[in-house]
Amino acid sequence: MFDIWPELRKKFGDFYTVGLPNRGAGLHGTMYVLQDPKEMMKVLRSEGKYPTSSVQDLWSFQQMQDDYGFGRPGEILGYGKDWKLIRSFLQSDFLAPQSANRYLPGILKATLHISKGMAGNSDNLDEFLQWASFDMFCSILIGAFPRITDPDTVVDPEDDEFCKKVAEVLKVGSHITLSPYETMLNRIGIKSKTYKMLYQNWTQ
């Protein structure tokens, strides 16, 4: 997965189409890929008041939030006026330059510990990066980090279990979101065994 996008860019350039059934448009799932950052900025600036994004395709996470009765916070995965309200609220505290100045030092401290574990996880990079993001996000959310990725740190068992459960939920949730079979079941109102296991892990 980490090699495929650079390889596609070498072969097809900065703009091409790929077939991703259940994600793209039409029978073949046609999706347009743009990898030139300057051209991408033009797209972002012309998206309009209510831009679309890939989060709208995350039906498994939307379904879990609906089943749990998450209410308005769950609209961050939606589209339109309600989504814009929640997005603007979050953006004001996370993306504003003055806000970034407050939490970036914590992220930088977290990366010092993350770098220690990188070499020992080169063959498990996908999972390691999930742990790394957990450390960095905790530095923003609670002002501290559990150092899950630092091989020299004895990690709190509760932090370790929580991080692994979150990683598993993201992995399984992404898998069933991309599965045509699981998507079909969801559209006709059937909750599969895999979805039920996902929901159980998410709510624990």
Side-chain angles (χ1 to χ4, degrees):
M1 181 57 72
F2 294 105
D3 297 327
I4 188 170
W5 296 111
E7 288 300 318
L8 287 174
R9 188 178 188 185
K10 287 179 184 178
K11 188 173 182 179
F12 300 112
D14 287 327
F15 183 67
Y16 55 91
T17 61
V18 293
L20 295 176
N22 200 42
R23 294 299 299 276
L27 181 63
H28 300 289
T30 302
M31 182 175 286
Y32 296 90
V33 179
L34 177 60
Q35 300 199 77
D36 184 322
K38 293 181 180 178
E39 293 298 319
M40 192 64 200
M41 285 305 299
K42 297 177 184 178
V43 175
L44 294 176
R45 288 170 181 155
S46 62
E47 282 187 313
K49 191 174 182 180
Y50 304 126
T52 59
S53 75
S54 59
V55 298
Q56 294 168 225
D57 296 326
L58 301 177
W59 66 260
S60 59
F61 296 97
Q62 293 171 352
Q63 186 66 58
M64 285 191 293
Q65 292 185 354
D66 289 343
D67 290 345
Y68 192 73
F70 220 2
R72 173 153 281 188
E75 291 166 0
I76 191 62
L77 298 180
Y79 172 78
K81 185 178 179 180
D82 292 332
W83 166 86
K84 182 72 173 180
L85 182 65
I86 299 296
R87 181 68 172 80
S88 298
F89 173 75
L90 293 175
Q91 179 174 305
S92 63
D93 204 37
F94 279 103
L95 301 182
Q98 59 269 30
S99 298
N101 288 334
R102 292 197 302 268
Y103 63 71
L104 276 177
I107 292 179
L108 293 175
K109 287 181 180 179
T111 59
L112 294 175
H113 297 279
I114 292 168
S115 63
K116 293 180 182 179
M118 182 69 77
N121 288 276
S122 59
D123 59 343
N124 188 32
L125 197 57
D126 186 37
E127 192 170 278
F128 177 80
L129 290 177
Q130 293 182 39
W131 300 339
S133 64
F134 181 74
D135 269 346
M136 290 188 287
F137 185 70
C138 284
S139 74
I140 299 174
L141 195 64
I142 61 176
F145 37 88
R147 304 180 185 182
I148 297 286
T149 53
D150 189 342
D152 300 327
T153 299
V154 178
V155 179
D156 186 312
E158 289 188 1
D159 289 338
D160 186 56
E161 182 183 7
F162 177 77
C163 182
K164 288 179 178 178
K165 280 195 173 183
V166 170
E168 182 65 17
V169 166
L170 291 174
K171 179 181 178 180
V172 176
S174 299
H175 170 72
I176 69 172
T177 295
L178 294 173
S179 166
Y181 174 72
E182 293 285 347
T183 301
M184 179 189 69
L185 291 180
N186 176 261
R187 287 176 178 172
I188 61 177
I190 297 176
K191 293 181 172 64
S192 70
K193 181 179 178 180
T194 304
Y195 171 80
K196 290 177 180 177
M197 291 175 59
L198 173 66
Y199 181 75
Q200 183 178 2
N201 285 332
W202 184 71
T203 53
Q204 285 180 344

